[in-house]
Amino acid sequence: MPTLPLLTLENCHKSFQHVELLRGVSLSIGEGERVGLLGRNGSGKSTLVRILAGLEQPDSGKRSARRDLALGYLEQNPALDPAQSAAAVVRAGFPGRERIQSDLDRVHRQLEHASDDEMERLLSRQGKLEQELDAAGGHDIEHRVESTLHALGLPDIGRPCGELSGGERRRVALARLLLTSPDLLLLDEPTNHLDAFVTDWLEDWFLDHRVPLLLVTHDRYFLDRIVDRIVELDRGELVSYAGGYDDYLQARAARLE
């Protein structure tokens, strides 16, 4: 049964300095789908992902997304506030959480001295705030932020992002994406600068959390474990193959033959 589309490109063209990167590209990512994007260096993969993310416009063609789609995008060089700590940047992925927690603390104090008439109103308010807090990361967000950053190889979560290397800043941005649970992830080389232990942890995270995604990576083993479809950007056009990397190699060889 076909899945409902989350994000779609239709007949998109894109040129850069008179080089045609995309020639009438069409792509649809559905609910539950996990897509690997392959292509030679310089073929336009990152440009395609930026168009999918809505950060770059095609010269022609159409991009459409499901209404209210929460989209998470990991770019190769994420822009983070250099003065903020790694933990603060990840926490900032939950907007409004501090306000909700403050309101909830105020309601708790009021409940201690509430009359019978006030009690019902305050309990209703408390329930609504608890729901908002769950949507903004829950009560254990500090533990989750710390454990996720540690798992991604960042033990010193209080260091300012301005002191981190490019690879470390990418890990901070990746941690923020994983914790904020978007409806669809677009990941440009997520395994770059990760050692084998961290890559294994990330693979397990994706296997445990069935979030739809499109990822660009050269890690064939990562692709084989994570994706169920591969699209190859070849001379400006997309060719789709069902399965993981090994399935792609066999189907591609047969197509070229």
Side-chain angles (χ1 to χ4, degrees):
M1 179 180 294
T3 59
L4 296 175
L6 298 173
L7 186 60
T8 302
L9 299 183
E10 297 178 53
N11 196 30
C12 288
H13 293 256
K14 184 70 176 181
S15 296
F16 181 71
Q17 294 183 348
H18 307 296
V19 176
E20 194 173 25
L21 295 176
L22 306 179
R23 302 169 53 194
V25 162
S26 295
L27 175 64
S28 181
I29 305 172
E31 293 179 349
E33 276 201 296
R34 299 185 148 193
V35 182
L37 175 60
L38 298 181
R40 300 191 313 273
N41 289 340
S43 62
K45 298 187 300 296
S46 292
T47 298
L48 176 57
V49 177
R50 285 180 59 81
I51 291 174
L52 285 165
L55 299 177
E56 196 164 327
Q57 297 300 314
D59 298 332
S60 63
K62 180 182 178 183
R63 173 192 181 272
S64 56
R66 191 190 68 186
R67 182 176 296 180
D68 299 326
L69 178 72
L71 189 62
Y73 170 49
L74 178 69
E75 55 189 323
Q76 294 202 22
N77 297 297
L80 306 179
D81 185 342
Q84 282 198 320
S85 69
V89 165
V90 177
R91 281 197 300 269
F94 300 93
R97 188 177 184 279
E98 291 185 4
R99 188 269 305 165
I100 299 168
Q101 186 65 66
S102 177
D103 289 350
L104 194 55
D105 291 342
R106 187 181 306 111
V107 169
H108 288 162
R109 291 193 299 270
Q110 292 171 340
L111 280 169
E112 294 176 3
H113 309 287
S115 66
D116 291 341
D117 291 339
E118 294 175 318
M119 187 69 70
E120 185 176 351
R121 177 184 62 82
L122 288 172
L123 288 174
S124 176
R125 174 66 174 155
Q126 175 183 280
K128 291 178 181 178
L129 288 170
E130 290 283 1
Q131 290 179 349
E132 290 182 30
L133 188 63
D134 286 341
H139 287 279
D140 64 340
I141 190 61
E142 294 300 328
H143 168 70
R144 292 168 60 203
V145 167
E146 182 176 355
S147 62
T148 302
L149 285 169
H150 285 179
L152 288 172
L154 283 169
D156 188 358
I157 66 175
R159 281 180 66 196
C161 289
E163 298 179 6
L164 302 179
S165 68
E168 289 171 330
R169 289 195 296 272
R170 282 175 53 82
R171 296 180 193 207
V172 173
L174 180 56
R176 182 170 60 188
L177 284 181
L178 298 183
L179 284 173
T180 51
S181 302
D183 299 323
L184 173 64
L185 284 170
L186 304 175
L187 307 170
D188 197 348
E189 299 287 1
T191 59
N192 271 12
H193 309 290
L194 300 184
D195 61 33
F197 293 106
V198 175
T199 299
D200 285 344
W201 178 88
L202 187 59
E203 287 179 359
D204 290 338
W205 191 96
F206 284 129
L207 292 173
D208 290 338
H209 300 76
R210 292 300 304 175
V211 58
L213 57 82
L214 177 139
L215 66 88
V216 179
T217 181
H218 293 93
D219 189 332
R220 58 177 294 176
Y221 301 106
F222 195 83
L223 285 169
D224 252 340
R225 290 194 67 192
I226 302 303
V227 307
D228 45 46
R229 178 161 66 104
I230 285 179
V231 291
E232 182 183 22
L233 184 57
D234 183 17
R235 289 167 288 185
E237 299 179 352
L238 281 182
V239 183
S240 182
Y241 303 87
Y245 189 82
D246 284 342
D247 299 312
Y248 151 76
L249 287 180
Q250 296 176 27
R252 184 177 187 271
R255 181 178 72 87
L256 294 178
E257 184 179 345

